[in-house]
Amino acid sequence: NATQFWKRKACKIGDAKSVQFFHLGKGGGGTIYFQLLDYHLVFERSHPSPNFDSKLFKGPTTTLIFNIRDPVDRFVSAFNWRSLLYCRDGDKRKPYFKGKSNSRYPPYLYPDKVCLAGNKTEKILLHEEYQSDPNPLGEALCEDSPNFAYASEKVKNIAHARLSLNDWLSFLIDPDIYPAITTTGINKVMAITTEPRVENNNTSLLDWHTQQAIIELYSDSGLSSDQIDDIMKHKPQVNAKSEKKSEMMTHSSISSSTSKLTPPPLRTLGECCLARFFHDDYRLMKTMILDDREENLTSVLPLADVHSLVKTACSWGNDEQRTSCMRDLASMIKRRAEFLDYSRGSCENVVGVVKNVSSPLSSLPSEKVVREAEVDLGTIYYNQTTGGK
């Protein structure tokens, strides 16, 4: 009975040991996580780093879910988010000390009320060395930059930015590792994408993709189509408690329209340098696109010698879901294709050609790339906490 299902909190669907969610920070993962919980699904979550334990290789984990956002967008979002979290001189927010009286208000859930205290390496890097501006770091990540090696090491100090998509899925990419996956281990992967596309009015279909994932997981748990339809149909309307949960989901967002001053926008050179820095991530996404005959993606080659599961990342759900997933990935690659074409020379050469042309991101609402629940926190409270500096 669907009505009783929603009334009883103890009613859960699935096996927590069989489903793992790799939650990549600043990529829509918070939205996905809370929605899965809201629909009474049980699973294990890895965040902020992946858990490559034996369960993935030998079982009982058989399904892996992971979220994908454009690598450059995710990097900039992570940089701005972590920069915002740390306290500044004259900050009106309360400093957060783990285990103290205000510990029930962690800054990642209540960034308007509290901030991370202490002179941590990450804070010094973001506030002092790079002055809360992603451009110097992004431009230093160009392959021909004299500061490339140094900058590459600094990226490892920024939470949510230190691990790329390739890092998260390395156990499926490295031919020295993935042969250890047995027939009782992981046998299904589900990519949930978030990408603003023109045909969707420059908005992401993250919510819709997540709903499709919920239906898929219900089906994998043995529910019939009629049972799934009944459960979805009788889902209660949002109540006060759900609204509180929604407030927590928006820990990394407030509509950009509420901010008087945004962080410095990413310059075209930085965009190019970062796209090339994450080149292998775009290659990995290309590997997940089964049919790109209608897409202009020739500047990016798929990865070779990956586990066969990688190529099935979008091969779940109905035909509409599969097509939308692959189009999202294609859109991410096409936005950076000009920069990923190494035949055009260095990023400085490429920028010299396109410097008078708007960046591919300029027409996109980058602060709305991942709905309100996951939009870049760099736009929140920036003016009030930094004095606009």
Side-chain angles (χ1 to χ4, degrees), residues 5-6 13-14 19 31-43 63 65 188 190-192 206-224 227-229 231-233 235 249 316-318 321 371:
F5 169 79
W6 288 117
I13 295 178
V19 178
T31 295
I32 299 166
Y33 175 66
F34 281 107
Q35 284 200 38
L36 295 181
L37 291 179
D38 199 36
Y39 277 82
H40 292 203
L41 285 161
V42 290
F43 54 94
T63 298
I65 306 169
K188 182 175 185 175
M190 298 171 59
I192 301 180
L206 179 61
D207 280 336
W208 183 80
H209 285 305
T210 305
Q211 287 288 303
Q212 298 305 304
I214 290 167
I215 293 172
E216 182 79 359
L217 293 172
Y218 278 178
S219 178
D220 289 349
S221 297
L223 295 181
S224 67
Q227 288 174 317
I228 295 173
D229 289 342
I231 289 175
M232 303 296 279
K233 179 180 178 181
K235 177 77 165 63
M249 288 171 61
W316 58 271
N318 57 29
Q321 156 60 34
R371 64 156 286 172

Short mmCIF file of all heavy atoms in Angstrom, two decimals, residues 5-6 13-14 19 31-43 63 65 188 190-192 206-224 227-229 231-233 235 249 316-318 321 371:
data_model
loop_
_atom_site.label_atom_id
_atom_site.label_comp_id
_atom_site.label_asym_id
_atom_site.label_seq_id
_atom_site.Cartn_x
_atom_site.Cartn_y
_atom_site.Cartn_z
N PHE A 5 3.20 3.08 2.88
CA PHE A 5 4.64 3.15 2.62
C PHE A 5 5.18 4.52 2.98
O PHE A 5 6.22 4.65 3.64
CB PHE A 5 4.91 2.84 1.15
CG PHE A 5 6.33 3.13 0.71
CD1 PHE A 5 7.36 2.26 1.00
CD2 PHE A 5 6.62 4.30 0.01
CE1 PHE A 5 8.66 2.53 0.59
CE2 PHE A 5 7.92 4.58 -0.39
CZ PHE A 5 8.94 3.69 -0.10
N TRP A 6 4.48 5.57 2.57
CA TRP A 6 4.96 6.92 2.83
C TRP A 6 4.76 7.33 4.28
O TRP A 6 5.51 8.17 4.80
CB TRP A 6 4.26 7.91 1.91
CG TRP A 6 4.72 7.80 0.48
CD1 TRP A 6 3.99 7.46 -0.60
CD2 TRP A 6 6.05 8.05 0.00
NE1 TRP A 6 4.76 7.45 -1.74
CE2 TRP A 6 6.02 7.82 -1.40
CE3 TRP A 6 7.24 8.42 0.60
CZ2 TRP A 6 7.16 7.96 -2.19
CZ3 TRP A 6 8.37 8.57 -0.21
CH2 TRP A 6 8.33 8.34 -1.57
N ILE A 13 13.52 0.82 0.70
CA ILE A 13 13.62 0.03 -0.53
C ILE A 13 15.08 -0.15 -0.89
O ILE A 13 15.86 0.80 -0.88
CB ILE A 13 12.87 0.71 -1.69
CG1 ILE A 13 11.36 0.75 -1.40
CG2 ILE A 13 13.13 -0.01 -3.01
CD1 ILE A 13 10.56 1.44 -2.47
N GLY A 14 15.43 -1.40 -1.24
CA GLY A 14 16.79 -1.68 -1.66
C GLY A 14 17.63 -2.30 -0.57
O GLY A 14 17.18 -2.52 0.56
N VAL A 19 24.22 -1.07 -3.22
CA VAL A 19 24.26 0.18 -3.99
C VAL A 19 25.22 1.17 -3.33
O VAL A 19 25.12 1.43 -2.14
CB VAL A 19 22.87 0.82 -4.11
CG1 VAL A 19 22.94 2.14 -4.89
CG2 VAL A 19 21.89 -0.14 -4.79
N THR A 31 21.91 17.30 -4.16
CA THR A 31 20.54 17.17 -4.64
C THR A 31 20.18 15.70 -4.81
O THR A 31 19.12 15.25 -4.36
CB THR A 31 20.40 17.88 -6.00
OG1 THR A 31 20.60 19.27 -5.81
CG2 THR A 31 19.01 17.66 -6.59
N ILE A 32 21.06 14.94 -5.44
CA ILE A 32 20.82 13.52 -5.67
C ILE A 32 20.71 12.78 -4.35
O ILE A 32 19.78 11.99 -4.13
CB ILE A 32 21.96 12.93 -6.52
CG1 ILE A 32 22.02 13.61 -7.89
CG2 ILE A 32 21.79 11.42 -6.68
CD1 ILE A 32 23.30 13.32 -8.66
N TYR A 33 21.64 13.04 -3.45
CA TYR A 33 21.69 12.35 -2.17
C TYR A 33 20.39 12.50 -1.38
O TYR A 33 19.79 11.51 -0.94
CB TYR A 33 22.87 12.89 -1.36
CG TYR A 33 22.98 12.35 0.04
CD1 TYR A 33 23.24 11.01 0.28
CD2 TYR A 33 22.83 13.21 1.14
CE1 TYR A 33 23.36 10.52 1.57
CE2 TYR A 33 22.95 12.73 2.43
CZ TYR A 33 23.21 11.38 2.65
OH TYR A 33 23.31 10.91 3.93
N PHE A 34 19.94 13.74 -1.23
CA PHE A 34 18.73 13.97 -0.44
C PHE A 34 17.48 13.44 -1.13
O PHE A 34 16.54 13.00 -0.47
CB PHE A 34 18.59 15.45 -0.10
CG PHE A 34 19.47 15.89 1.03
CD1 PHE A 34 20.59 16.68 0.78
CD2 PHE A 34 19.21 15.51 2.33
CE1 PHE A 34 21.42 17.08 1.82
CE2 PHE A 34 20.03 15.90 3.38
CZ PHE A 34 21.14 16.69 3.12
N GLN A 35 17.45 13.48 -2.45
CA GLN A 35 16.28 12.94 -3.14
C GLN A 35 16.21 11.42 -3.00
O GLN A 35 15.12 10.86 -2.80
CB GLN A 35 16.30 13.34 -4.62
CG GLN A 35 15.90 14.79 -4.86
CD GLN A 35 15.46 15.03 -6.29
OE1 GLN A 35 14.80 14.21 -6.91
NE2 GLN A 35 15.84 16.17 -6.82
N LEU A 36 17.33 10.75 -3.08
CA LEU A 36 17.33 9.30 -2.89
C LEU A 36 16.85 8.94 -1.49
O LEU A 36 16.05 8.00 -1.31
CB LEU A 36 18.73 8.73 -3.13
CG LEU A 36 19.30 8.84 -4.54
CD1 LEU A 36 20.69 8.21 -4.60
CD2 LEU A 36 18.39 8.21 -5.58
N LEU A 37 17.32 9.68 -0.51
CA LEU A 37 16.87 9.45 0.86
C LEU A 37 15.38 9.75 1.00
O LEU A 37 14.64 9.01 1.67
CB LEU A 37 17.66 10.32 1.83
CG LEU A 37 19.13 10.00 2.04
CD1 LEU A 37 19.74 11.01 3.02
CD2 LEU A 37 19.32 8.59 2.56
N ASP A 38 14.93 10.81 0.36
CA ASP A 38 13.54 11.22 0.47
C ASP A 38 12.59 10.17 -0.11
O ASP A 38 11.44 10.09 0.29
CB ASP A 38 13.35 12.56 -0.25
CG ASP A 38 12.09 13.28 0.18
OD1 ASP A 38 11.74 13.20 1.38
OD2 ASP A 38 11.45 13.91 -0.66
N TYR A 39 13.09 9.38 -1.04
CA TYR A 39 12.26 8.33 -1.63
C TYR A 39 12.52 6.97 -0.99
O TYR A 39 12.25 5.93 -1.57
CB TYR A 39 12.50 8.27 -3.15
CG TYR A 39 11.69 9.30 -3.90
CD1 TYR A 39 12.12 10.62 -4.00
CD2 TYR A 39 10.48 8.96 -4.50
CE1 TYR A 39 11.36 11.57 -4.68
CE2 TYR A 39 9.72 9.90 -5.18
CZ TYR A 39 10.18 11.20 -5.27
OH TYR A 39 9.42 12.14 -5.93
N HIS A 40 13.04 7.00 0.24
CA HIS A 40 13.19 5.81 1.09
C HIS A 40 14.16 4.78 0.51
O HIS A 40 14.04 3.60 0.82
CB HIS A 40 11.83 5.16 1.35
CG HIS A 40 10.92 5.97 2.19
ND1 HIS A 40 9.87 5.43 2.91
CD2 HIS A 40 10.85 7.31 2.44
CE1 HIS A 40 9.20 6.39 3.55
NE2 HIS A 40 9.81 7.53 3.26
N LEU A 41 15.08 5.20 -0.30
CA LEU A 41 16.08 4.28 -0.83
C LEU A 41 17.25 4.17 0.14
O LEU A 41 17.62 5.15 0.81
CB LEU A 41 16.58 4.76 -2.19
CG LEU A 41 15.62 4.54 -3.36
CD1 LEU A 41 15.97 5.44 -4.53
CD2 LEU A 41 15.63 3.07 -3.79
N VAL A 42 17.81 2.99 0.24
CA VAL A 42 18.96 2.79 1.11
C VAL A 42 20.19 2.48 0.25
O VAL A 42 20.09 1.78 -0.76
CB VAL A 42 18.72 1.65 2.12
CG1 VAL A 42 17.68 2.06 3.14
CG2 VAL A 42 18.28 0.37 1.43
N PHE A 43 21.32 3.02 0.64
CA PHE A 43 22.55 2.87 -0.13
C PHE A 43 23.71 3.36 0.71
O PHE A 43 23.51 3.96 1.78
CB PHE A 43 22.47 3.69 -1.42
CG PHE A 43 22.14 5.16 -1.18
CD1 PHE A 43 23.15 6.10 -1.07
CD2 PHE A 43 20.82 5.57 -1.05
CE1 PHE A 43 22.84 7.44 -0.83
CE2 PHE A 43 20.51 6.91 -0.80
CZ PHE A 43 21.52 7.83 -0.71
N THR A 63 25.92 -2.15 -7.79
CA THR A 63 25.53 -0.95 -8.54
C THR A 63 26.28 0.27 -8.02
O THR A 63 26.31 0.51 -6.81
CB THR A 63 24.01 -0.70 -8.42
OG1 THR A 63 23.30 -1.81 -8.98
CG2 THR A 63 23.61 0.58 -9.16
N ILE A 65 26.50 4.42 -8.46
CA ILE A 65 25.93 5.66 -8.97
C ILE A 65 26.97 6.76 -8.78
O ILE A 65 27.63 6.82 -7.74
CB ILE A 65 24.64 6.03 -8.20
CG1 ILE A 65 23.65 4.88 -8.22
CG2 ILE A 65 24.00 7.29 -8.78
CD1 ILE A 65 22.48 5.09 -7.26
N LYS A 188 26.99 -2.84 -12.63
CA LYS A 188 26.14 -1.79 -13.19
C LYS A 188 26.63 -0.44 -12.71
O LYS A 188 26.89 -0.25 -11.52
CB LYS A 188 24.68 -2.00 -12.78
CG LYS A 188 23.71 -0.97 -13.36
CD LYS A 188 22.27 -1.33 -13.00
CE LYS A 188 21.28 -0.40 -13.66
NZ LYS A 188 19.88 -0.82 -13.40
N MET A 190 25.75 3.88 -13.04
CA MET A 190 24.72 4.85 -13.41
C MET A 190 25.26 6.26 -13.26
O MET A 190 25.49 6.72 -12.13
CB MET A 190 23.47 4.67 -12.53
CG MET A 190 22.80 3.31 -12.66
SD MET A 190 21.50 3.05 -11.41
CE MET A 190 20.40 4.43 -11.76
N ALA A 191 25.50 6.92 -14.37
CA ALA A 191 25.93 8.32 -14.33
C ALA A 191 24.69 9.21 -14.27
O ALA A 191 23.75 9.03 -15.05
CB ALA A 191 26.75 8.66 -15.56
N ILE A 192 24.70 10.18 -13.34
CA ILE A 192 23.63 11.18 -13.25
C ILE A 192 24.27 12.52 -13.59
O ILE A 192 25.14 13.01 -12.87
CB ILE A 192 22.98 11.21 -11.87
CG1 ILE A 192 22.39 9.82 -11.53
CG2 ILE A 192 21.89 12.27 -11.81
CD1 ILE A 192 21.71 9.76 -10.17
N LEU A 206 18.82 17.95 -13.87
CA LEU A 206 19.29 17.13 -12.75
C LEU A 206 18.14 16.49 -11.98
O LEU A 206 18.18 15.30 -11.65
CB LEU A 206 20.15 17.97 -11.80
CG LEU A 206 20.69 17.23 -10.57
CD1 LEU A 206 21.58 16.07 -10.98
CD2 LEU A 206 21.44 18.19 -9.66
N ASP A 207 17.11 17.25 -11.66
CA ASP A 207 15.98 16.69 -10.92
C ASP A 207 15.33 15.55 -11.69
O ASP A 207 15.00 14.51 -11.13
CB ASP A 207 14.94 17.78 -10.65
CG ASP A 207 15.32 18.65 -9.46
OD1 ASP A 207 16.08 18.19 -8.61
OD2 ASP A 207 14.85 19.79 -9.40
N TRP A 208 15.16 15.75 -12.99
CA TRP A 208 14.53 14.73 -13.82
C TRP A 208 15.41 13.48 -13.89
O TRP A 208 14.92 12.36 -13.76
CB TRP A 208 14.26 15.28 -15.22
CG TRP A 208 13.54 14.30 -16.10
CD1 TRP A 208 12.21 14.00 -16.12
CD2 TRP A 208 14.16 13.46 -17.10
NE1 TRP A 208 11.95 13.04 -17.07
CE2 TRP A 208 13.12 12.69 -17.68
CE3 TRP A 208 15.46 13.30 -17.55
CZ2 TRP A 208 13.36 11.76 -18.70
CZ3 TRP A 208 15.71 12.37 -18.56
CH2 TRP A 208 14.66 11.62 -19.12
N HIS A 209 16.70 13.67 -14.09
CA HIS A 209 17.62 12.53 -14.12
C HIS A 209 17.57 11.76 -12.80
O HIS A 209 17.60 10.53 -12.79
CB HIS A 209 19.05 13.01 -14.37
CG HIS A 209 19.33 13.41 -15.78
ND1 HIS A 209 19.10 12.59 -16.86
CD2 HIS A 209 19.83 14.56 -16.30
CE1 HIS A 209 19.45 13.21 -17.98
NE2 HIS A 209 19.89 14.41 -17.67
N THR A 210 17.51 12.49 -11.70
CA THR A 210 17.47 11.84 -10.40
C THR A 210 16.18 11.05 -10.22
O THR A 210 16.18 9.95 -9.66
CB THR A 210 17.62 12.88 -9.27
OG1 THR A 210 18.82 13.65 -9.48
CG2 THR A 210 17.71 12.20 -7.91
N GLN A 211 15.06 11.61 -10.68
CA GLN A 211 13.79 10.88 -10.63
C GLN A 211 13.89 9.59 -11.44
O GLN A 211 13.38 8.54 -11.03
CB GLN A 211 12.67 11.75 -11.18
CG GLN A 211 12.24 12.89 -10.25
CD GLN A 211 11.49 12.37 -9.03
OE1 GLN A 211 10.48 11.70 -9.15
NE2 GLN A 211 12.00 12.70 -7.86
N GLN A 212 14.53 9.65 -12.59
CA GLN A 212 14.70 8.45 -13.41
C GLN A 212 15.57 7.42 -12.69
O GLN A 212 15.33 6.21 -12.79
CB GLN A 212 15.32 8.81 -14.76
CG GLN A 212 14.49 9.74 -15.61
CD GLN A 212 13.08 9.23 -15.84
OE1 GLN A 212 12.89 8.11 -16.33
NE2 GLN A 212 12.09 10.03 -15.48
N ALA A 213 16.58 7.90 -11.96
CA ALA A 213 17.44 6.99 -11.20
C ALA A 213 16.65 6.31 -10.09
O ALA A 213 16.85 5.12 -9.80
CB ALA A 213 18.63 7.76 -10.63
N ILE A 214 15.76 7.06 -9.45
CA ILE A 214 14.92 6.49 -8.39
C ILE A 214 14.04 5.38 -8.94
O ILE A 214 13.93 4.29 -8.35
CB ILE A 214 14.06 7.60 -7.75
CG1 ILE A 214 14.96 8.55 -6.94
CG2 ILE A 214 12.97 7.01 -6.85
CD1 ILE A 214 14.27 9.84 -6.53
N ILE A 215 13.44 5.63 -10.08
CA ILE A 215 12.60 4.61 -10.72
C ILE A 215 13.43 3.39 -11.07
O ILE A 215 13.00 2.24 -10.88
CB ILE A 215 11.92 5.20 -11.99
CG1 ILE A 215 10.91 6.28 -11.59
CG2 ILE A 215 11.26 4.11 -12.81
CD1 ILE A 215 10.35 7.06 -12.76
N GLU A 216 14.62 3.61 -11.58
CA GLU A 216 15.51 2.50 -11.94
C GLU A 216 15.88 1.67 -10.72
O GLU A 216 15.87 0.43 -10.76
CB GLU A 216 16.78 3.05 -12.59
CG GLU A 216 17.76 2.01 -13.06
CD GLU A 216 17.39 1.37 -14.39
OE1 GLU A 216 16.33 1.73 -14.96
OE2 GLU A 216 18.16 0.51 -14.86
N LEU A 217 16.20 2.32 -9.62
CA LEU A 217 16.58 1.61 -8.40
C LEU A 217 15.38 0.88 -7.81
O LEU A 217 15.52 -0.23 -7.26
CB LEU A 217 17.17 2.58 -7.38
CG LEU A 217 18.52 3.19 -7.78
CD1 LEU A 217 18.93 4.29 -6.80
CD2 LEU A 217 19.61 2.11 -7.83
N TYR A 218 14.20 1.47 -7.89
CA TYR A 218 12.98 0.77 -7.46
C TYR A 218 12.81 -0.51 -8.27
O TYR A 218 12.52 -1.58 -7.74
CB TYR A 218 11.76 1.66 -7.67
CG TYR A 218 11.49 2.68 -6.58
CD1 TYR A 218 10.43 3.58 -6.70
CD2 TYR A 218 12.27 2.76 -5.43
CE1 TYR A 218 10.15 4.51 -5.71
CE2 TYR A 218 12.02 3.68 -4.44
CZ TYR A 218 10.94 4.57 -4.58
OH TYR A 218 10.67 5.49 -3.61
N SER A 219 12.98 -0.39 -9.58
CA SER A 219 12.82 -1.55 -10.46
C SER A 219 13.87 -2.61 -10.15
O SER A 219 13.55 -3.81 -10.09
CB SER A 219 12.93 -1.11 -11.92
OG SER A 219 12.83 -2.20 -12.79
N ASP A 220 15.12 -2.20 -9.94
CA ASP A 220 16.18 -3.15 -9.61
C ASP A 220 15.91 -3.87 -8.30
O ASP A 220 16.43 -4.97 -8.07
CB ASP A 220 17.53 -2.43 -9.53
CG ASP A 220 18.03 -1.97 -10.89
OD1 ASP A 220 17.45 -2.40 -11.91
OD2 ASP A 220 18.98 -1.16 -10.92
N SER A 221 15.12 -3.22 -7.42
CA SER A 221 14.80 -3.82 -6.12
C SER A 221 13.64 -4.81 -6.21
O SER A 221 13.26 -5.39 -5.19
CB SER A 221 14.46 -2.72 -5.11
OG SER A 221 15.58 -1.88 -4.89
N GLY A 222 13.08 -4.96 -7.41
CA GLY A 222 12.03 -5.95 -7.59
C GLY A 222 10.62 -5.41 -7.65
O GLY A 222 9.67 -6.18 -7.76
N LEU A 223 10.45 -4.10 -7.59
CA LEU A 223 9.11 -3.53 -7.66
C LEU A 223 8.61 -3.56 -9.11
O LEU A 223 9.38 -3.34 -10.05
CB LEU A 223 9.11 -2.10 -7.15
CG LEU A 223 9.44 -1.87 -5.66
CD1 LEU A 223 9.35 -0.40 -5.33
CD2 LEU A 223 8.52 -2.68 -4.76
N SER A 224 7.34 -3.81 -9.27
CA SER A 224 6.74 -3.82 -10.60
C SER A 224 6.46 -2.39 -11.06
O SER A 224 6.49 -1.45 -10.25
CB SER A 224 5.43 -4.61 -10.59
OG SER A 224 4.46 -3.93 -9.81
N GLN A 227 3.58 -0.95 -9.13
CA GLN A 227 3.95 -0.57 -7.76
C GLN A 227 4.73 0.73 -7.75
O GLN A 227 4.51 1.59 -6.89
CB GLN A 227 4.78 -1.70 -7.12
CG GLN A 227 3.99 -2.94 -6.77
CD GLN A 227 4.89 -4.07 -6.28
OE1 GLN A 227 5.95 -4.32 -6.84
NE2 GLN A 227 4.45 -4.74 -5.22
N ILE A 228 5.64 0.87 -8.70
CA ILE A 228 6.44 2.10 -8.78
C ILE A 228 5.53 3.29 -9.09
O ILE A 228 5.64 4.35 -8.46
CB ILE A 228 7.53 1.97 -9.85
CG1 ILE A 228 8.54 0.90 -9.45
CG2 ILE A 228 8.24 3.31 -10.07
CD1 ILE A 228 9.56 0.56 -10.51
N ASP A 229 4.63 3.13 -10.03
CA ASP A 229 3.70 4.21 -10.38
C ASP A 229 2.86 4.61 -9.18
O ASP A 229 2.61 5.80 -8.94
CB ASP A 229 2.78 3.78 -11.53
CG ASP A 229 3.52 3.67 -12.85
OD1 ASP A 229 4.62 4.24 -12.96
OD2 ASP A 229 2.99 3.01 -13.78
N ILE A 231 3.61 4.25 -5.95
CA ILE A 231 4.45 4.94 -4.96
C ILE A 231 4.72 6.38 -5.39
O ILE A 231 4.61 7.31 -4.58
CB ILE A 231 5.77 4.17 -4.76
CG1 ILE A 231 5.51 2.85 -4.02
CG2 ILE A 231 6.78 5.03 -3.98
CD1 ILE A 231 6.74 1.98 -3.89
N MET A 232 5.07 6.56 -6.63
CA MET A 232 5.38 7.90 -7.12
C MET A 232 4.13 8.79 -7.09
O MET A 232 4.21 9.98 -6.78
CB MET A 232 5.94 7.84 -8.55
CG MET A 232 7.19 6.97 -8.71
SD MET A 232 8.63 7.55 -7.80
CE MET A 232 9.24 8.81 -8.91
N LYS A 233 2.99 8.22 -7.42
CA LYS A 233 1.74 8.96 -7.47
C LYS A 233 1.32 9.45 -6.10
O LYS A 233 0.74 10.54 -5.95
CB LYS A 233 0.65 8.09 -8.08
CG LYS A 233 -0.72 8.76 -8.17
CD LYS A 233 -1.73 7.81 -8.79
CE LYS A 233 -3.13 8.44 -8.85
NZ LYS A 233 -4.13 7.50 -9.43
N LYS A 235 3.29 10.12 -3.51
CA LYS A 235 4.33 10.84 -2.78
C LYS A 235 3.72 12.06 -2.12
O LYS A 235 3.08 12.90 -2.78
CB LYS A 235 5.43 11.28 -3.74
CG LYS A 235 6.54 12.12 -3.11
CD LYS A 235 7.48 11.26 -2.32
CE LYS A 235 8.77 11.99 -1.98
NZ LYS A 235 8.59 13.17 -1.12
N MET A 249 19.64 21.24 1.80
CA MET A 249 20.12 20.93 0.45
C MET A 249 20.70 22.16 -0.22
O MET A 249 21.58 22.05 -1.08
CB MET A 249 18.97 20.39 -0.41
CG MET A 249 18.55 18.99 -0.05
SD MET A 249 17.05 18.52 -0.91
CE MET A 249 17.57 18.63 -2.62
N TRP A 316 21.19 3.20 -18.89
CA TRP A 316 20.20 2.76 -17.91
C TRP A 316 18.94 3.64 -18.07
O TRP A 316 19.00 4.71 -18.66
CB TRP A 316 20.74 2.88 -16.48
CG TRP A 316 21.17 4.27 -16.08
CD1 TRP A 316 22.40 4.82 -16.24
CD2 TRP A 316 20.34 5.29 -15.48
NE1 TRP A 316 22.42 6.12 -15.78
CE2 TRP A 316 21.15 6.43 -15.30
CE3 TRP A 316 19.02 5.32 -15.06
CZ2 TRP A 316 20.68 7.60 -14.74
CZ3 TRP A 316 18.54 6.50 -14.50
CH2 TRP A 316 19.37 7.63 -14.34
N GLY A 317 17.82 3.16 -17.57
CA GLY A 317 16.58 3.91 -17.71
C GLY A 317 15.98 3.73 -19.09
O GLY A 317 16.38 2.87 -19.86
N ASN A 318 15.00 4.58 -19.41
CA ASN A 318 14.35 4.48 -20.71
C ASN A 318 15.18 5.18 -21.79
O ASN A 318 16.22 5.77 -21.52
CB ASN A 318 12.93 5.06 -20.64
CG ASN A 318 12.91 6.51 -20.16
OD1 ASN A 318 13.87 7.26 -20.38
ND2 ASN A 318 11.83 6.92 -19.51
N GLN A 321 15.94 8.88 -21.18
CA GLN A 321 16.97 9.09 -20.17
C GLN A 321 18.35 8.84 -20.76
O GLN A 321 19.28 9.62 -20.56
CB GLN A 321 16.72 8.18 -18.97
CG GLN A 321 17.93 7.84 -18.13
CD GLN A 321 18.61 9.02 -17.51
OE1 GLN A 321 17.96 10.00 -17.15
NE2 GLN A 321 19.93 8.95 -17.36
N ARG A 371 20.96 23.69 -10.37
CA ARG A 371 19.75 24.07 -9.64
C ARG A 371 20.09 24.76 -8.32
O ARG A 371 21.23 24.85 -7.92
CB ARG A 371 18.82 22.87 -9.41
CG ARG A 371 19.40 21.78 -8.53
CD ARG A 371 18.29 20.94 -7.88
NE ARG A 371 17.66 21.69 -6.82
CZ ARG A 371 16.57 21.27 -6.19
NH1 ARG A 371 15.99 20.16 -6.53
NH2 ARG A 371 16.04 22.00 -5.22
#
